[in-house]
Amino acid sequence: MSCEHRVGIGWDRHRLVEGRPLVLGGVEIPHDRGLHGHSDADALFHAAIDAVLGACGADDIGTLFPDDDDAHRGADSAALAARVRRLVEARGFRIVSLDTIVVAERPKLSPHRAAMRERLAATFGVELDRVNVKAKTGEGVGPTGRRETIEATAVALVTRA
Ligand code: MG
């Protein structure tokens, strides 16, 4: 049986603002600020969604869930990811693996890596050992290093039988 493999990449960045909860990888992380956005602004899930969509040639998150659509105001990005999983599975794709990097100067994300990884794996229907979340800092430079933003990058591998 021949299998078609495809890779996709996703990237996202959101501003840190006061008065918002910080949600990354579907996990609420204690912090004095949260990410600004139309949805819950979960940059990690947004990058992962775009990686999966990119691999399947299925547009991008902004096209599927426009930020001027009130239906997505305050949306739970894990729920959007579950919809994306169903969409790509309906096209005959299966997500094989997902590798991600989330960059934040503060808060320290390493204590939350396991929870973020489990949430991504469960939501996208991928075995835990095929999902990874790596946490880095911005080394004090650029908007992320100055604690103005948090950003994430993801690569997805999908297959179609
Ligand atoms: Mg986003």
Side-chain angles (χ1 to χ4, degrees), residues 11-14 36-39 41-47 50 61 77:
W11 177 86
D12 197 24
R13 176 160 71 193
H14 283 265
H36 179 266
H38 185 72
S39 65
D42 187 331
L44 179 52
F45 252 117
H46 292 184
D50 263 349
I61 188 170
S77 295

Side-chain angles (χ1 to χ4, degrees), residues 45 52 81-82 85-86 89 93-98 117-128 130-131:
F45 252 117
V52 169
R85 174 189 169 184
R86 289 194 293 274
E89 286 177 351
F93 289 102
R94 185 172 58 81
I95 304 166
V96 175
S97 66
L98 193 60
R117 182 183 179 199
E118 283 170 21
R119 191 79 199 278
L120 283 168
T123 306
F124 283 111
V126 185
E127 289 165 63
L128 192 57
R130 293 173 179 234
V131 175

Side-chain angles (χ1 to χ4, degrees), residues 20 23-28 38-42 45-46 49 61 65 71-84 119 123:
R20 297 260 302 179
V23 181
L24 284 169
V27 177
E28 192 165 329
H38 185 72
S39 65
D40 62 7
D42 187 331
F45 252 117
H46 292 184
I49 285 171
I61 188 170
F65 309 111
H72 309 128
R73 188 179 299 282
D76 172 0
S77 295
L80 301 182
R83 285 172 60 184
V84 165
R119 191 79 199 278
T123 306

